[in-house]
Amino acid sequence: MLNKAQIRYCLDTMGEMFPDAHCELNHSNPFELVVAVALSAQCTDVLVNKVTKDLFQKYKTPEDYISVPIEELENDIRSIGLFRNKAKNIQKLSRMLIEEYGKEVPRDRDELVKLPGVGRKTANVVVSVAYDVPAIAVDTHVERVSKRLGLCRWKDSVLDVEKTLMAKIPKGEWSVTHHRLIFFGRYHCKAQSPRCETCPLLDLCREGKKRMKRKEAN
């Protein structure tokens, strides 16, 4: 596990590598963000953005989503994985927003997770990006990078990773660190073929050192 000074170095280095790290899901309001993040489960942001380009032209409000037959909404998001389930959840959460939240997306994570298809990760993204509430959403990139670098333990659950990162990173940096970890994992420390040879964090990275040793042995 990395010490405080090493963690600081990692955060600063990622900040230099990805100074413009941000949420890559296109949206223009909190409701669109909820829909986009719900669609993004087990799917790339690039594909979601392709689909929402037309989707957000057609559907502007929660009422719009529940005013069409489920089959029509399914057809509009058909190119996205699990589209039937996601269409069902989008209609359910739209109805819930109308009936229980005055058509407003809640600012509170505990309220957000009550919405169908919205888990803890989704809720953290929404409160952080839409409402500037400090949060760390742990997706596959954040989890992978945190474990490879030794910010967390290999056996940690997603919730453990979130709690550990919150404890080790200053609260004011939670949201920007979440985006930088994602960019670092998406564009540098990839699941397959991470760029260990050119990584400025190689000296601190237990996983990177192992991978480089294996390469040298071959």
Side-chain angles (χ1 to χ4, degrees), residues 145-169:
V145 169
S146 298
K147 290 182 176 181
R148 281 180 174 173
L149 277 173
L151 296 168
C152 305
R153 296 171 300 179
W154 281 114
K155 64 179 182 178
D156 283 352
S157 67
V158 170
L159 185 56
D160 289 333
V161 172
E162 182 187 331
K163 286 180 175 175
T164 301
L165 292 176
M166 285 165 67
K168 292 183 175 182
I169 296 166

PDB file of all heavy atoms in Angstrom, residues 145-169:
ATOM      1  N   VAL A 145      -7.206   0.836 -11.434  1.00  0.00           N
ATOM      2  CA  VAL A 145      -6.036   1.687 -11.184  1.00  0.00           C
ATOM      3  C   VAL A 145      -5.701   1.716  -9.693  1.00  0.00           C
ATOM      4  O   VAL A 145      -4.531   1.609  -9.307  1.00  0.00           O
ATOM      5  CB  VAL A 145      -6.288   3.124 -11.707  1.00  0.00           C
ATOM      6  CG1 VAL A 145      -5.202   4.077 -11.223  1.00  0.00           C
ATOM      7  CG2 VAL A 145      -6.352   3.123 -13.232  1.00  0.00           C
ATOM      8  N   SER A 146      -6.721   1.835  -8.847  1.00  0.00           N
ATOM      9  CA  SER A 146      -6.493   1.907  -7.403  1.00  0.00           C
ATOM     10  C   SER A 146      -5.826   0.642  -6.880  1.00  0.00           C
ATOM     11  O   SER A 146      -4.949   0.705  -6.004  1.00  0.00           O
ATOM     12  CB  SER A 146      -7.824   2.117  -6.669  1.00  0.00           C
ATOM     13  OG  SER A 146      -8.416   3.333  -7.057  1.00  0.00           O
ATOM     14  N   LYS A 147      -6.232  -0.494  -7.425  1.00  0.00           N
ATOM     15  CA  LYS A 147      -5.664  -1.763  -6.967  1.00  0.00           C
ATOM     16  C   LYS A 147      -4.285  -2.017  -7.561  1.00  0.00           C
ATOM     17  O   LYS A 147      -3.382  -2.500  -6.871  1.00  0.00           O
ATOM     18  CB  LYS A 147      -6.627  -2.914  -7.291  1.00  0.00           C
ATOM     19  CG  LYS A 147      -7.886  -2.861  -6.431  1.00  0.00           C
ATOM     20  CD  LYS A 147      -8.840  -4.013  -6.706  1.00  0.00           C
ATOM     21  CE  LYS A 147     -10.022  -3.949  -5.733  1.00  0.00           C
ATOM     22  NZ  LYS A 147     -10.975  -5.052  -5.946  1.00  0.00           N
ATOM     23  N   ARG A 148      -4.100  -1.679  -8.812  1.00  0.00           N
ATOM     24  CA  ARG A 148      -2.787  -1.881  -9.435  1.00  0.00           C
ATOM     25  C   ARG A 148      -1.717  -1.019  -8.757  1.00  0.00           C
ATOM     26  O   ARG A 148      -0.600  -1.469  -8.510  1.00  0.00           O
ATOM     27  CB  ARG A 148      -2.847  -1.549 -10.928  1.00  0.00           C
ATOM     28  CG  ARG A 148      -3.446  -2.647 -11.784  1.00  0.00           C
ATOM     29  CD  ARG A 148      -3.472  -2.232 -13.250  1.00  0.00           C
ATOM     30  NE  ARG A 148      -3.921  -3.312 -14.116  1.00  0.00           N
ATOM     31  CZ  ARG A 148      -4.162  -3.177 -15.416  1.00  0.00           C
ATOM     32  NH1 ARG A 148      -3.977  -2.008 -15.999  1.00  0.00           N
ATOM     33  NH2 ARG A 148      -4.562  -4.211 -16.142  1.00  0.00           N
ATOM     34  N   LEU A 149      -2.077   0.223  -8.464  1.00  0.00           N
ATOM     35  CA  LEU A 149      -1.095   1.140  -7.872  1.00  0.00           C
ATOM     36  C   LEU A 149      -0.836   0.846  -6.392  1.00  0.00           C
ATOM     37  O   LEU A 149       0.203   1.218  -5.864  1.00  0.00           O
ATOM     38  CB  LEU A 149      -1.579   2.592  -8.009  1.00  0.00           C
ATOM     39  CG  LEU A 149      -1.303   3.293  -9.332  1.00  0.00           C
ATOM     40  CD1 LEU A 149      -1.995   4.648  -9.361  1.00  0.00           C
ATOM     41  CD2 LEU A 149       0.201   3.475  -9.552  1.00  0.00           C
ATOM     42  N   GLY A 150      -1.806   0.204  -5.754  1.00  0.00           N
ATOM     43  CA  GLY A 150      -1.652  -0.047  -4.327  1.00  0.00           C
ATOM     44  C   GLY A 150      -2.274   1.053  -3.473  1.00  0.00           C
ATOM     45  O   GLY A 150      -1.908   1.229  -2.311  1.00  0.00           O
ATOM     46  N   LEU A 151      -3.225   1.788  -4.057  1.00  0.00           N
ATOM     47  CA  LEU A 151      -3.999   2.738  -3.257  1.00  0.00           C
ATOM     48  C   LEU A 151      -4.958   1.960  -2.360  1.00  0.00           C
ATOM     49  O   LEU A 151      -5.329   2.405  -1.284  1.00  0.00           O
ATOM     50  CB  LEU A 151      -4.805   3.673  -4.165  1.00  0.00           C
ATOM     51  CG  LEU A 151      -4.009   4.615  -5.084  1.00  0.00           C
ATOM     52  CD1 LEU A 151      -4.920   5.250  -6.112  1.00  0.00           C
ATOM     53  CD2 LEU A 151      -3.318   5.687  -4.265  1.00  0.00           C
ATOM     54  N   CYS A 152      -5.360   0.783  -2.860  1.00  0.00           N
ATOM     55  CA  CYS A 152      -6.274  -0.102  -2.135  1.00  0.00           C
ATOM     56  C   CYS A 152      -5.710  -1.523  -2.189  1.00  0.00           C
ATOM     57  O   CYS A 152      -4.709  -1.777  -2.844  1.00  0.00           O
ATOM     58  CB  CYS A 152      -7.660  -0.086  -2.783  1.00  0.00           C
ATOM     59  SG  CYS A 152      -8.346   1.566  -2.936  1.00  0.00           S
ATOM     60  N   ARG A 153      -6.413  -2.435  -1.516  1.00  0.00           N
ATOM     61  CA  ARG A 153      -5.973  -3.838  -1.534  1.00  0.00           C
ATOM     62  C   ARG A 153      -6.696  -4.586  -2.652  1.00  0.00           C
ATOM     63  O   ARG A 153      -7.818  -4.257  -3.008  1.00  0.00           O
ATOM     64  CB  ARG A 153      -6.283  -4.494  -0.187  1.00  0.00           C
ATOM     65  CG  ARG A 153      -5.521  -3.872   0.985  1.00  0.00           C
ATOM     66  CD  ARG A 153      -6.024  -4.401   2.314  1.00  0.00           C
ATOM     67  NE  ARG A 153      -7.456  -4.097   2.485  1.00  0.00           N
ATOM     68  CZ  ARG A 153      -8.160  -4.463   3.552  1.00  0.00           C
ATOM     69  NH1 ARG A 153      -7.589  -5.139   4.526  1.00  0.00           N
ATOM     70  NH2 ARG A 153      -9.449  -4.166   3.639  1.00  0.00           N
ATOM     71  N   TRP A 154      -6.059  -5.616  -3.147  1.00  0.00           N
ATOM     72  CA  TRP A 154      -6.640  -6.413  -4.235  1.00  0.00           C
ATOM     73  C   TRP A 154      -8.004  -6.975  -3.854  1.00  0.00           C
ATOM     74  O   TRP A 154      -8.908  -7.063  -4.674  1.00  0.00           O
ATOM     75  CB  TRP A 154      -5.713  -7.580  -4.612  1.00  0.00           C
ATOM     76  CG  TRP A 154      -4.562  -7.185  -5.472  1.00  0.00           C
ATOM     77  CD1 TRP A 154      -3.239  -7.223  -5.133  1.00  0.00           C
ATOM     78  CD2 TRP A 154      -4.599  -6.685  -6.823  1.00  0.00           C
ATOM     79  NE1 TRP A 154      -2.461  -6.767  -6.176  1.00  0.00           N
ATOM     80  CE2 TRP A 154      -3.266  -6.432  -7.219  1.00  0.00           C
ATOM     81  CE3 TRP A 154      -5.630  -6.411  -7.717  1.00  0.00           C
ATOM     82  CZ2 TRP A 154      -2.943  -5.939  -8.483  1.00  0.00           C
ATOM     83  CZ3 TRP A 154      -5.313  -5.912  -8.968  1.00  0.00           C
ATOM     84  CH2 TRP A 154      -3.982  -5.685  -9.352  1.00  0.00           C
ATOM     85  N   LYS A 155      -8.146  -7.360  -2.588  1.00  0.00           N
ATOM     86  CA  LYS A 155      -9.389  -8.046  -2.171  1.00  0.00           C
ATOM     87  C   LYS A 155     -10.521  -7.066  -1.836  1.00  0.00           C
ATOM     88  O   LYS A 155     -11.632  -7.488  -1.543  1.00  0.00           O
ATOM     89  CB  LYS A 155      -9.108  -8.947  -0.972  1.00  0.00           C
ATOM     90  CG  LYS A 155      -8.663  -8.198   0.277  1.00  0.00           C
ATOM     91  CD  LYS A 155      -8.434  -9.173   1.438  1.00  0.00           C
ATOM     92  CE  LYS A 155      -8.048  -8.411   2.701  1.00  0.00           C
ATOM     93  NZ  LYS A 155      -7.864  -9.297   3.843  1.00  0.00           N
ATOM     94  N   ASP A 156     -10.238  -5.769  -1.869  1.00  0.00           N
ATOM     95  CA  ASP A 156     -11.256  -4.773  -1.507  1.00  0.00           C
ATOM     96  C   ASP A 156     -12.472  -4.833  -2.433  1.00  0.00           C
ATOM     97  O   ASP A 156     -12.335  -4.981  -3.646  1.00  0.00           O
ATOM     98  CB  ASP A 156     -10.673  -3.358  -1.563  1.00  0.00           C
ATOM     99  CG  ASP A 156      -9.809  -3.030  -0.351  1.00  0.00           C
ATOM    100  OD1 ASP A 156      -9.796  -3.831   0.593  1.00  0.00           O
ATOM    101  OD2 ASP A 156      -9.152  -1.976  -0.364  1.00  0.00           O
ATOM    102  N   SER A 157     -13.651  -4.709  -1.837  1.00  0.00           N
ATOM    103  CA  SER A 157     -14.873  -4.594  -2.631  1.00  0.00           C
ATOM    104  C   SER A 157     -14.938  -3.182  -3.223  1.00  0.00           C
ATOM    105  O   SER A 157     -14.145  -2.306  -2.857  1.00  0.00           O
ATOM    106  CB  SER A 157     -16.103  -4.818  -1.737  1.00  0.00           C
ATOM    107  OG  SER A 157     -16.207  -3.741  -0.805  1.00  0.00           O
ATOM    108  N   VAL A 158     -15.895  -2.958  -4.108  1.00  0.00           N
ATOM    109  CA  VAL A 158     -16.061  -1.623  -4.711  1.00  0.00           C
ATOM    110  C   VAL A 158     -16.314  -0.582  -3.617  1.00  0.00           C
ATOM    111  O   VAL A 158     -15.755   0.526  -3.648  1.00  0.00           O
ATOM    112  CB  VAL A 158     -17.219  -1.636  -5.741  1.00  0.00           C
ATOM    113  CG1 VAL A 158     -17.551  -0.219  -6.187  1.00  0.00           C
ATOM    114  CG2 VAL A 158     -16.845  -2.482  -6.943  1.00  0.00           C
ATOM    115  N   LEU A 159     -17.137  -0.944  -2.641  1.00  0.00           N
ATOM    116  CA  LEU A 159     -17.419  -0.018  -1.540  1.00  0.00           C
ATOM    117  C   LEU A 159     -16.166   0.237  -0.707  1.00  0.00           C
ATOM    118  O   LEU A 159     -15.902   1.374  -0.281  1.00  0.00           O
ATOM    119  CB  LEU A 159     -18.542  -0.572  -0.657  1.00  0.00           C
ATOM    120  CG  LEU A 159     -19.030   0.348   0.470  1.00  0.00           C
ATOM    121  CD1 LEU A 159     -19.484   1.700  -0.072  1.00  0.00           C
ATOM    122  CD2 LEU A 159     -20.152  -0.323   1.270  1.00  0.00           C
ATOM    123  N   ASP A 160     -15.373  -0.810  -0.478  1.00  0.00           N
ATOM    124  CA  ASP A 160     -14.104  -0.652   0.254  1.00  0.00           C
ATOM    125  C   ASP A 160     -13.176   0.322  -0.485  1.00  0.00           C
ATOM    126  O   ASP A 160     -12.522   1.163   0.130  1.00  0.00           O
ATOM    127  CB  ASP A 160     -13.373  -1.995   0.403  1.00  0.00           C
ATOM    128  CG  ASP A 160     -14.060  -2.939   1.376  1.00  0.00           C
ATOM    129  OD1 ASP A 160     -14.749  -2.447   2.282  1.00  0.00           O
ATOM    130  OD2 ASP A 160     -13.908  -4.170   1.209  1.00  0.00           O
ATOM    131  N   VAL A 161     -13.117   0.156  -1.816  1.00  0.00           N
ATOM    132  CA  VAL A 161     -12.272   1.040  -2.623  1.00  0.00           C
ATOM    133  C   VAL A 161     -12.731   2.488  -2.458  1.00  0.00           C
ATOM    134  O   VAL A 161     -11.921   3.400  -2.235  1.00  0.00           O
ATOM    135  CB  VAL A 161     -12.297   0.642  -4.125  1.00  0.00           C
ATOM    136  CG1 VAL A 161     -11.577   1.689  -4.985  1.00  0.00           C
ATOM    137  CG2 VAL A 161     -11.660  -0.727  -4.325  1.00  0.00           C
ATOM    138  N   GLU A 162     -14.026   2.706  -2.550  1.00  0.00           N
ATOM    139  CA  GLU A 162     -14.566   4.068  -2.408  1.00  0.00           C
ATOM    140  C   GLU A 162     -14.207   4.661  -1.042  1.00  0.00           C
ATOM    141  O   GLU A 162     -13.715   5.795  -0.945  1.00  0.00           O
ATOM    142  CB  GLU A 162     -16.091   4.042  -2.574  1.00  0.00           C
ATOM    143  CG  GLU A 162     -16.713   5.430  -2.486  1.00  0.00           C
ATOM    144  CD  GLU A 162     -18.241   5.413  -2.482  1.00  0.00           C
ATOM    145  OE1 GLU A 162     -18.833   4.491  -3.067  1.00  0.00           O
ATOM    146  OE2 GLU A 162     -18.824   6.327  -1.879  1.00  0.00           O
ATOM    147  N   LYS A 163     -14.430   3.875   0.016  1.00  0.00           N
ATOM    148  CA  LYS A 163     -14.154   4.374   1.377  1.00  0.00           C
ATOM    149  C   LYS A 163     -12.667   4.641   1.585  1.00  0.00           C
ATOM    150  O   LYS A 163     -12.284   5.635   2.215  1.00  0.00           O
ATOM    151  CB  LYS A 163     -14.662   3.358   2.406  1.00  0.00           C
ATOM    152  CG  LYS A 163     -16.179   3.341   2.539  1.00  0.00           C
ATOM    153  CD  LYS A 163     -16.620   2.316   3.563  1.00  0.00           C
ATOM    154  CE  LYS A 163     -18.136   2.380   3.776  1.00  0.00           C
ATOM    155  NZ  LYS A 163     -18.597   1.306   4.684  1.00  0.00           N
ATOM    156  N   THR A 164     -11.816   3.758   1.054  1.00  0.00           N
ATOM    157  CA  THR A 164     -10.367   3.933   1.191  1.00  0.00           C
ATOM    158  C   THR A 164      -9.899   5.196   0.483  1.00  0.00           C
ATOM    159  O   THR A 164      -9.123   5.985   1.021  1.00  0.00           O
ATOM    160  CB  THR A 164      -9.614   2.706   0.631  1.00  0.00           C
ATOM    161  OG1 THR A 164     -10.033   1.542   1.346  1.00  0.00           O
ATOM    162  CG2 THR A 164      -8.115   2.856   0.787  1.00  0.00           C
ATOM    163  N   LEU A 165     -10.380   5.387  -0.749  1.00  0.00           N
ATOM    164  CA  LEU A 165      -9.992   6.582  -1.507  1.00  0.00           C
ATOM    165  C   LEU A 165     -10.483   7.856  -0.811  1.00  0.00           C
ATOM    166  O   LEU A 165      -9.763   8.857  -0.739  1.00  0.00           O
ATOM    167  CB  LEU A 165     -10.547   6.514  -2.931  1.00  0.00           C
ATOM    168  CG  LEU A 165      -9.948   5.429  -3.838  1.00  0.00           C
ATOM    169  CD1 LEU A 165     -10.670   5.407  -5.183  1.00  0.00           C
ATOM    170  CD2 LEU A 165      -8.452   5.627  -4.045  1.00  0.00           C
ATOM    171  N   MET A 166     -11.686   7.820  -0.259  1.00  0.00           N
ATOM    172  CA  MET A 166     -12.220   8.984   0.446  1.00  0.00           C
ATOM    173  C   MET A 166     -11.381   9.310   1.682  1.00  0.00           C
ATOM    174  O   MET A 166     -11.198  10.476   2.032  1.00  0.00           O
ATOM    175  CB  MET A 166     -13.678   8.734   0.843  1.00  0.00           C
ATOM    176  CG  MET A 166     -14.653   8.817  -0.323  1.00  0.00           C
ATOM    177  SD  MET A 166     -16.270   8.113   0.047  1.00  0.00           S
ATOM    178  CE  MET A 166     -16.895   9.236   1.272  1.00  0.00           C
ATOM    179  N   ALA A 167     -10.858   8.262   2.312  1.00  0.00           N
ATOM    180  CA  ALA A 167     -10.039   8.463   3.517  1.00  0.00           C
ATOM    181  C   ALA A 167      -8.647   8.994   3.169  1.00  0.00           C
ATOM    182  O   ALA A 167      -8.053   9.745   3.943  1.00  0.00           O
ATOM    183  CB  ALA A 167      -9.925   7.148   4.292  1.00  0.00           C
ATOM    184  N   LYS A 168      -8.134   8.614   1.997  1.00  0.00           N
ATOM    185  CA  LYS A 168      -6.750   8.947   1.647  1.00  0.00           C
ATOM    186  C   LYS A 168      -6.599  10.206   0.790  1.00  0.00           C
ATOM    187  O   LYS A 168      -5.504  10.722   0.634  1.00  0.00           O
ATOM    188  CB  LYS A 168      -6.109   7.752   0.911  1.00  0.00           C
ATOM    189  CG  LYS A 168      -5.911   6.531   1.815  1.00  0.00           C
ATOM    190  CD  LYS A 168      -5.217   5.409   1.078  1.00  0.00           C
ATOM    191  CE  LYS A 168      -4.917   4.253   2.029  1.00  0.00           C
ATOM    192  NZ  LYS A 168      -4.201   3.152   1.361  1.00  0.00           N
ATOM    193  N   ILE A 169      -7.701  10.649   0.201  1.00  0.00           N
ATOM    194  CA  ILE A 169      -7.649  11.807  -0.702  1.00  0.00           C
ATOM    195  C   ILE A 169      -8.406  12.973  -0.064  1.00  0.00           C
ATOM    196  O   ILE A 169      -9.510  12.774   0.464  1.00  0.00           O
ATOM    197  CB  ILE A 169      -8.283  11.438  -2.066  1.00  0.00           C
ATOM    198  CG1 ILE A 169      -7.451  10.346  -2.748  1.00  0.00           C
ATOM    199  CG2 ILE A 169      -8.401  12.651  -2.972  1.00  0.00           C
ATOM    200  CD1 ILE A 169      -8.138   9.679  -3.916  1.00  0.00           C
TER     201      ILE A 169
END
